[in-house]
C-alpha cells in the first residue's frame, strides 16, 4: 500500500498467501471532525460469507475506538449490497440517509446509503 498518509489506516485479510479482503479508514483532520472517520471495505467474491468482513470490521473498530479515540464512524454502502448493509447493522451502524445516483457502476447509476456508528464516550 505504498506511502499512506498519517491519517489513513489499512488492514488486510490473507488466505493462503493471497489478500482476500481489505478495510481502509480515513481519520478526518479538520479540528471539528477529528473524532470522525470514514471506512471502506471489500472482500473477494470467492471468500464472502466466511466471516472475513466481520473480522476486518471488528479489528478496525477496535483500532478506531480504543486506540484513536474515534467516536463517529461513517461509511457508504450500495443500496443493493444487502449482505454488506446487514454486516454493518450487526456492528451497530445505522442508515442516516440515501444518496441518489451516487456512483456509475456497470453502465448505470447506483444509489448508496449513508451509514454511521456513534460510540458513547467512556
Amino acid at each position: 500500500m505504498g506511502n499512506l498518509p498519517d491519517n489513513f489506516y489499512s488492514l488486510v485479510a490473507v488466505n493462503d498467501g493471497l489478500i482476500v479482503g481489505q478495510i481502509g479508514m480515513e481519520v478526518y483532520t479538520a479540528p471539528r471532525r477529528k473524532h470522525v472517520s470514514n471506512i471502506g471495505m471489500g472482500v473477494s467474491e470467492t471468500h464472502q460469507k466466511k466471516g472475513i468482513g466481520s473480522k476486518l470490521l471488528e479489528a478496525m473498530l477496535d483500532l478506531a475506538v480504543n486506540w484513536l479515540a474515534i467516536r463517529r464512524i461513517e461509511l457508504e454502502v450500495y443500496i443493493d449490497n444487502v449482505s454488506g448493509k446487514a454486516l454493518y447493522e450487526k456492528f451497530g451502524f445505522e442508515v442516516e440517509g440515501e444518496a441518489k445516483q451516487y456512483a456509475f457502476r456497470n453502465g448505470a447509476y447506483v444509489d448508496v446509503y449513508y451509514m454511521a456508528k456513534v460510540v458513547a464516550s467512556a
Side-chain angles (χ1 to χ4, degrees), residues 14-26:
V14 178
N15 183 30
D16 291 329
L18 297 173
I19 295 175
V20 297
Q22 187 269 341
I23 187 168
M25 178 175 68
E26 177 186 8

Side-chain angles (χ1 to χ4, degrees), residues 27-77:
V27 177
Y28 295 120
T29 58
R32 292 185 181 186
R33 299 264 295 161
K34 287 184 176 185
H35 67 291
V36 181
S37 67
N38 185 284
I39 60 171
M41 178 172 57
V43 175
S44 73
E45 286 186 25
T46 57
H47 290 83
Q48 292 178 3
K49 309 245 187 258
K50 297 181 179 181
I52 294 169
S54 290
K55 293 289 185 187
L56 286 169
L57 189 53
E58 183 177 33
M60 191 60 83
L61 290 174
D62 178 61
L63 173 65
V65 174
N66 296 317
W67 296 97
L68 302 175
I70 300 300
R71 292 292 169 244
R72 177 179 170 82
I73 302 143
E74 302 171 339
L75 61 88
E76 299 83 34
V77 62

